[in-house]
């Protein structure tokens, strides 16, 4: 299969597919980070996670329209405002959902799956009613368009670079928040031993709510970043949810590093294979390998060694 | 079977609900509806096979499979392949560039029948395949997962991934599977036209009888020692394991049984509806099947049948007139059932209707017994 390409062509194919894989990787990481916090730390299966992401995308779409309509002078920086808005909108909705629904179901993790699936149906239909069934795209400011030519055959798109940079910033902030801050310590304490954490004076209910809200908020930012590389439709979230869950489980649910490593492996495998096989077969093969490895190593690649 | 074991297998309450369901399915439905509606109900009942399997897997065994659509689809596809081959005789397909192969293969430039289609020329093979293929598939998944003590949430996610893999595969391999459209235009079963009204009546009753066979088998499992072990396992798996039971075998068995039930449902679906497509395999239909089971009551096999009928009937009537509202209603139903009625319709019946029914029943029975005691006693 390689014989029909020259070496130089192969190099650029791998470089370009590798870069496409890196963008996919960034989206996976952004989605999976939120999910890893909610699922890994709290044990709640949030099937509506994709819809929280789409919420962020629609917020970005609204804000971009707002700016191009009323403040065209500031259009070049709207994206930062949109991301902050997406973060807080999705986070606020997440806090509400936790209060209304999730907190009653902590003892029944499988039931959170069904309830949040119901939530995702409602949110999808809401998007369809408000924004229409057609996909919407966001117009990017000038500085995000175009690409940097590396060689004759390799171009690096700037929006891809931006998404990747964003992913790095958010991953590091989440790491600092979860493992270096006082609040992160409290969250991890609650997860490991709820009654004991409560006994030493941690407000476990508040900690749960904030954790869930943070996971959703990161999904919102992921959606905001997603608008730069694809268009947004009411059911786009559903396309990603299984992949994202696999990423989290594959990496080991409680390990953030594992999440990033598995997102990298899966996205690179998929995008490299996509060039040589049809897209669907690449996806099938990737998923099969992941499921196969999970059968051998059910706890994921980076399992925390703790007693249950 | 002696009378006491029969009573242990089928207590009076259960017997009554079985009889009521039989009356509803075999007498009330055929008398009250035209053949179009009856065919639709038959279609709903094929989902009930899956829901009954889920009651045992999920309600009793505590393992939630989000990939039951896979088994439903595999059973359905096996049946559809046989019917499709029968419909693609060289005479019927003579306008194709290669006559004698299914039309979608011809559209996808295939010139000969793939090897795995060959055995589906035979009906006995197909009938065996309908049961065996999904069961083996379930067995592989079950052994791989349960031997390594993967359960709960992880099992749900992996079965979901399996459903997504199979859907992508079916859609991607158009030449072998018919792609998004699935296998359509099925006409006859051994020369018997399945599209006529009389055939639809026959298929409806066959479907009903098979459903009852599955229900009886499920009842047997529930009331046997196996059912009690499943319940014990759901509550405290480690204790059952420490008592010397190989937990994974029981789980694999109940998962395979659910798969076999689903496959029968899938095959009957193909026969009654006349096509099979990937839209019954993926994640969304699989989760909907779980909600049928949840609405009926995850601990009640009879409830699962009513739940399936109710939701599908509501879906059909509702979505015809308010397609938008239906999705809202469906979402609300998911949330409502999980949060407010975890034991579904069967639970509502238990708490609200059952005391009333019990009272009426005991009145009826005591009357009968008193009349019996008045009659001359015969030695028995």
């Amino acid at each position: 299969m390689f014989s029909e390409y020259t070496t130089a062509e192969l190099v650029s194919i791998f470089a370009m597919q590798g870069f496409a894989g890196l963008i996919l990787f960034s989206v996976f990481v952004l989605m999976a980070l939120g999910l890893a916090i909610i699922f890994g730390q709290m044990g709640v299966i949030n099937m509506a996670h994709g819809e929280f992401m789409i919420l962020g995308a629609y917020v970005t779409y609204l804000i971009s329209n707002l700016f191009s309509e009323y403040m065209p002078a500031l259009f070049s920086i709207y994206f930062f405002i949109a991301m902050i808005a997406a973060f807080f909108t999705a986070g606020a909705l997440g806090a509400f959902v936790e209060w209304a629904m999730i907190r009653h179901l902590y003892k029944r993790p499988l039931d959170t799956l069904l309830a949040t699936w119901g939530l995702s149906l409602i949110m999808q239909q809401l998007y369809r009613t408000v924004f229409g069934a057609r996909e919407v795209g966001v117009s990017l400011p000038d500085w995000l368009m175009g690409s940097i030519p590396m060689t004759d055959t390799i171009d690096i798109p700037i929006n891809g670079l931006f998404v990747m940079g964003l992913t790095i910033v958010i991953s590091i902030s989440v790491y600092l928040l979860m493992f270096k801050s006082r609040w992160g310590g409290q969250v991890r304490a609650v997860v490991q031993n709820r009654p004991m954490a409560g006994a030493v004076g941690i407000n476990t209910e508040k900690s749960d709510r904030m954790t869930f809200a943070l996971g959703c908020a990161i999904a919102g930012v992921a959606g905001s970043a997603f608008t730069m590389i694809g268009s947004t439709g009411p059911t786009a979230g559903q396309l990603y949810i299984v992949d994202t869950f696999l990423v989290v489980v594959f990496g080991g649910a409680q390990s953030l590093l594992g999440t990033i490593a598995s997102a990298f492996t899966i996205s690179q495998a998929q995008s490299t294979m996509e060039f040589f096989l049809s897209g669907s077969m690449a996806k099938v093969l990737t998923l099969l390998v992941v499921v196969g490895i999970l059968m051998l190593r059910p706890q994921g690649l980076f399992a925390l060694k703790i007693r249950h | 079977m002696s009378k006491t074991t029969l009573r242990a297998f089928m207590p009076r309450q259960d017997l009554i609900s079985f009889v009521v369901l039989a009356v509803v399915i075999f007498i009330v439905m055929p008398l009250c509806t035209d053949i179009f509606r009856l065919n639709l109900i038959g279609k709903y009942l094929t989902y009930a096979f899956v829901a009954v399997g889920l009651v045992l897997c999920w309600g009793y065994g505590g393992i939630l499979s989000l990939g039951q659509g896979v088994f439903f689809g595999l059973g359905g596809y096996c049946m559809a392949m046989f019917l499709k081959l029968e419909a693609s005789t060289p005479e019927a397909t003579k306008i194709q560039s290669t006559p004698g192969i299914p039309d979608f293969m011809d559209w996808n430039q295939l010139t000969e029948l793939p090897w795995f289609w060959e055995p589906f020329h035979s009906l006995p093979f197909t009938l065996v395949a309908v049961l065996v293929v999904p069961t083996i598939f379930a067995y592989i998944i079950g052994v791989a997962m349960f031997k390594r003590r993967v359960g709960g949430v992880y099992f749900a996610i992996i079965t979901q991934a399996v459903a997504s893999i199979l859907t992508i595969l079916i859609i991607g391999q158009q030449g072998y599977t018919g792609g998004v459209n699935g296998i359509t235009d099925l006409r006859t079963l051994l020369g018997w036209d399945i599209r006529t009204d009389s055939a639809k009546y026959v298929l409806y009753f066959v479907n009903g009888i098979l459903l009852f066979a599955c229900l009886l088998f499920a009842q047997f499992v529930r009331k046997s020692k196996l059912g009690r072990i499943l319940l014990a396992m759901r509550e405290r798996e480690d204790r059952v394991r420490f008592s010397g039971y190989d937990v994974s075998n029981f789980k694999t068995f109940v998962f395979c049984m659910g798969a076999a039930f689903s496959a029968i449902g899938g095959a009957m679906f193909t026969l009654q509806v006349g096509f099979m497509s990937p839209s019954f395999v993926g994640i969304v239909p699989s989760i909907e099947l779980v909600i049928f089971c949840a609405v009926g009551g995850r601990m009640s096999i009879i409830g699962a049948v009513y739940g399936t009928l109710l939701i599908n009937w509501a879906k059909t009537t509702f979505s015809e007139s308010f397609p938008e509202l239906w999705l809202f209603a469906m979402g609300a139903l998911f949330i409502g059932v999980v949060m407010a009625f975890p034991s579904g319709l069967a639970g509502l019946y238990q708490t609200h209707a059952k005391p009333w029914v019990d009272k009426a029943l005991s009145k009826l029975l005591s009357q009968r017994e008193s009349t019996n005691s008045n009659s001359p006693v015969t030695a028995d």
Side-chain angles (χ1 to χ4, degrees):
Chain A
M1 65 200 281
F2 296 109
S3 54
E4 66 234 58
Y5 304 104
T6 65
T7 322
E9 274 172 343
L10 270 182
V11 169
S12 32
I13 286 169
F14 276 110
M16 293 298 282
Q17 290 302 113
F19 191 77
L22 279 179
I23 296 176
L24 187 65
F25 160 66
S26 309
V27 176
F28 271 172
V29 168
L30 284 179
M31 265 195 84
L33 271 182
L35 206 63
I37 293 174
I38 293 173
F39 175 56
Q41 304 294 321
M42 306 169 77
V44 171
I45 314 176
N46 184 12
M47 292 298 280
H49 198 75
E51 278 64 38
F52 278 99
M53 173 175 148
I54 300 303
L55 178 67
Y58 276 122
V59 167
T60 312
Y61 167 74
L62 283 182
I63 289 187
S64 91
N65 281 356
L66 205 71
F67 269 76
S68 63
E69 195 80 2
Y70 299 104
M71 289 173 276
L74 293 174
F75 190 71
S76 56
I77 57 149
Y78 88 87
F79 214 89
F80 297 99
I81 294 164
M83 269 190 311
I84 294 167
F87 182 88
F88 283 105
T89 320
L93 185 65
F96 173 74
V97 167
E98 201 276 347
W99 171 78
M101 214 163 89
I102 308 289
R103 69 185 167 127
H104 306 290
L105 301 172
Y106 282 123
K107 291 200 177 108
R108 300 183 277 156
L110 283 177
D111 286 3
T112 59
L113 189 157
L114 289 180
T116 50
W117 178 262
L119 178 69
S120 86
L121 287 184
I122 291 177
M123 285 170 81
Q124 275 172 31
Q125 188 53 47
L126 212 59
Y127 298 148
R128 206 170 287 133
T129 315
V130 176
F131 297 100
R134 296 221 342 249
E135 301 209 325
V136 297
V138 167
S139 46
L140 292 176
D142 290 334
W143 61 271
L144 270 172
M145 307 231 251
S147 55
I148 306 168
M150 300 289 282
T151 66
D152 291 342
T153 48
I154 304 177
D155 281 322
I156 302 293
I158 294 177
N159 56 5
L161 280 180
F162 183 78
V163 173
M164 276 156 34
L166 182 72
T167 307
I168 295 171
V169 171
I170 290 184
S171 308
I172 292 175
S173 334
V174 168
Y175 172 78
L176 291 178
L177 193 63
M178 293 305 285
F179 292 97
K180 297 291 171 214
S181 78
R182 193 182 161 75
W183 180 77
Q186 289 185 354
V187 168
R188 286 179 294 132
V190 171
V191 169
Q192 290 203 352
N193 194 332
R194 185 175 299 270
M196 197 58 86
V200 296
I202 297 173
N203 186 342
T204 59
E205 282 181 16
K206 195 175 154 204
S207 156
D208 284 333
R209 190 153 312 147
M210 293 309 287
T211 317
F212 194 84
L214 178 71
C216 294
I218 294 174
V221 178
S224 186
F226 183 71
T227 55
M228 279 193 280
I229 49 181
S231 47
T232 306
T235 51
Q238 236 173 31
L239 299 177
Y240 283 88
I241 191 74
V242 175
D243 292 349
T244 320
F245 263 112
L246 274 187
V247 165
V248 173
V249 173
F250 188 52
Q254 282 159 330
S255 155
L256 288 182
L257 182 70
T259 303
I260 292 171
S262 81
F264 185 77
T265 325
I266 292 177
S267 58
Q268 286 300 320
Q270 191 170 321
S271 81
T272 316
M273 277 194 285
E274 237 164 46
F275 192 80
F276 298 104
L277 300 163
S278 69
S280 66
M281 281 315 283
K283 184 128 198 222
V284 165
L285 270 183
T286 320
L287 289 180
L288 266 183
V289 171
V290 170
V291 168
I293 294 178
L294 276 180
M295 285 182 173
L296 297 175
R297 252 190 95 84
Q299 297 305 320
L301 290 178
F302 293 75
L304 279 189
K305 289 200 170 48
I306 51 169
R307 280 171 194 236
H308 288 288
Chain B
M1 207 186 275
S2 70
K3 202 172 173 186
T4 45
T5 49
L6 197 68
R7 191 34 62 79
F9 162 65
M10 182 76 81
R12 180 176 283 150
Q13 276 293 333
D14 290 3
L15 185 69
I16 292 169
S17 36
F18 264 80
V19 170
V20 169
L21 184 67
V23 169
V24 168
I25 289 181
F26 292 114
I27 299 172
V28 177
M29 294 292 190
L31 285 182
C32 297
T33 53
D34 55 10
I35 183 62
F36 172 74
R37 291 277 159 191
L38 193 68
N39 189 236
L40 216 56
I41 293 166
K43 183 176 114 180
Y44 304 157
L45 284 180
T46 61
Y47 303 140
F49 284 89
V50 189
V52 171
L54 273 169
V55 167
L56 290 177
C57 284
W58 178 35
Y60 279 80
I63 43 176
L64 176 55
S65 158
L66 292 184
Q68 291 302 93
V70 167
F71 308 120
F72 186 82
L74 281 177
Y77 265 98
C78 284
M79 200 44 146
M81 280 157 89
F82 172 77
L83 296 178
K84 188 69 194 173
L85 284 180
E86 197 179 313
S88 320
T89 51
E91 299 88 67
T93 53
K94 60 176 178 281
I95 51 160
Q96 290 174 184
S97 50
T98 333
I101 62 169
D103 45 11
F104 61 83
M105 291 188 187
D106 195 59
W107 302 332
N108 286 288
Q109 278 90 42
L110 256 65
T111 49
E112 60 181 312
L113 204 60
W115 60 269
F116 61 88
W117 274 71
E118 285 295 346
F120 286 94
H121 278 297
S122 125
L123 182 64
F125 177 86
T126 307
L127 291 182
V128 173
V130 161
L131 273 178
V132 169
V133 171
T135 312
I136 289 181
F137 200 61
Y139 182 76
I140 295 171
I141 298 175
V143 167
M145 306 300 290
F146 299 133
K147 285 278 180 211
R148 307 192 71 86
R149 297 185 191 170
V150 180
V153 174
Y154 291 88
F155 185 76
I157 290 172
I158 287 179
T159 46
Q160 200 170 42
V162 171
S164 130
I165 291 173
L166 197 73
T167 323
I168 299 172
L169 202 63
I170 291 175
I171 293 174
Q173 299 298 310
Q174 269 197 37
Y176 300 121
T177 59
V180 183
N181 297 325
I183 301 180
T184 53
D185 202 15
L186 308 172
R187 293 169 198 154
T188 53
L189 176 72
L190 291 180
W192 176 53
D193 195 334
I194 56 171
R195 293 167 301 175
T196 58
D197 281 357
S198 64
K200 281 180 178 165
Y201 268 113
V202 173
L203 284 172
Y204 175 82
F205 282 102
V206 171
N207 187 37
I209 291 166
L210 283 173
L211 180 63
F212 263 85
C214 286
L215 280 172
L216 284 175
F217 189 72
Q219 173 76 3
F220 173 70
V221 169
R222 262 180 72 198
K223 290 292 166 187
S224 66
K225 192 177 162 195
L226 175 64
R228 269 173 289 153
I229 293 175
L230 284 175
L231 270 183
M233 230 162 51
R234 193 193 62 179
E235 298 303 327
R236 269 300 173 84
E237 191 178 325
D238 43 358
R239 288 196 186 177
V240 178
R241 189 181 297 126
F242 297 154
S243 310
Y245 291 98
D246 188 345
V247 171
S248 69
N249 285 347
F250 293 102
K251 284 190 170 177
T252 311
F253 173 79
V254 77
F255 184 53
C256 287
M257 195 181 75
F261 283 6
S262 312
I264 300 173
M268 287 313 295
F269 178 90
T270 307
L271 280 171
Q272 292 188 81
V273 183
F275 76 99
M276 189 72 218
S277 88
S279 56
F280 302 100
V281 177
I283 297 165
V284 178
S286 297
I287 295 187
E288 281 191 2
L289 289 165
V290 172
I291 199 70
F292 298 159
C293 163
V295 167
R298 61 186 76 168
M299 297 304 289
S300 161
I301 51 175
I302 300 281
V305 179
Y306 287 117
T308 314
L309 283 176
L310 184 75
I311 300 281
N312 280 292
W313 172 79
K315 186 175 182 171
T316 311
T317 41
F318 234 43
S319 60
E320 274 165 10
S321 30
F322 315 101
E324 297 205 343
L325 277 182
W326 167 246
L327 262 179
F328 283 126
M330 187 83 175
L333 194 70
F334 269 87
I335 298 173
V337 165
V338 169
M339 307 224 10
F341 314 107
S343 43
L345 285 178
L348 284 181
Y349 170 79
Q350 283 285 340
T351 45
H352 296 291
K354 192 167 173 279
W356 181 79
V357 173
D358 276 349
K359 218 157 116 192
L361 264 181
S362 61
K363 217 171 179 180
L364 206 75
L365 289 173
S366 63
Q367 253 172 22
R368 203 180 69 185
E369 261 150 37
S370 61
T371 51
N372 276 355
S373 58
N374 289 344
S375 62
V377 183
T378 49
D380 60 354

